[in-house]
Amino acid sequence: MPKLTFVYPDGKEKTVDVQNGISVLEIAHKYSVPLEGACEGSLACSTCHVIVDPAWYGKLKAASEDEEDMLDLAFGLTHTSRLGCQILMSDALDGLRVSLPAATRNMMVDKKT
């Protein structure tokens, strides 16, 4: 089974065994990692934004235009930012490391009226 490591904003880490074919967002929810995913993985928000370790970023499939559009809304965007709902685990990603940003931006909740 592949392993995935979540790095929390305070530097603590959580490494978990994962099944192939499920998203980083689904894995986070399964292991109580605080990755929101307000749209439940439907590519309609940026609350599952993760920062991929640079050593792993090039091993991911390229982001779609829709994902890039949602990433533009993410808090703390970096050049290795991706949406957790769009990263599907595989044996090729065994050892993947992703960091959780210090905050998220949920346009539905953060919207000013």
Side-chain angles (χ1 to χ4, degrees):
M1 281 188 123
K3 292 191 182 307
L4 168 62
T5 299
F6 292 97
V7 181
Y8 291 83
D10 65 3
K12 291 182 182 173
E13 298 183 3
K14 183 174 197 171
T15 300
V16 296
D17 292 319
V18 300
Q19 296 175 322
N20 286 326
I22 62 173
S23 72
V24 168
L25 175 61
E26 292 170 295
I27 296 162
H29 288 176
K30 179 178 180 179
Y31 290 99
S32 300
V33 173
L35 191 59
E36 186 175 352
C39 73
E40 299 178 359
S42 65
L43 196 53
C45 73
S46 64
T47 61
C48 66
H49 166 227
V50 294
I51 301 163
V52 177
D53 184 291
W56 288 95
Y57 186 78
K59 297 177 182 181
L60 301 177
K61 292 182 181 179
S64 68
E65 187 174 329
D66 289 339
E67 181 181 359
E68 292 285 349
D69 288 345
M70 287 296 106
L71 281 168
D72 287 341
L73 304 174
F75 178 85
L77 190 66
T78 74
H79 69 282
T80 63
S81 289
R82 292 295 300 268
L83 297 180
C85 68
Q86 298 301 298
I87 302 172
L88 298 181
M89 289 302 298
S90 67
D91 288 334
L93 295 179
D94 182 20
L96 177 66
R97 294 174 58 83
V98 298
S99 297
L100 305 177
T104 62
R105 183 174 292 141
N106 184 335
M107 300 309 256
M108 295 307 291
V109 173
D110 299 339
K111 189 172 164 180
K112 304 253 191 245
T113 55

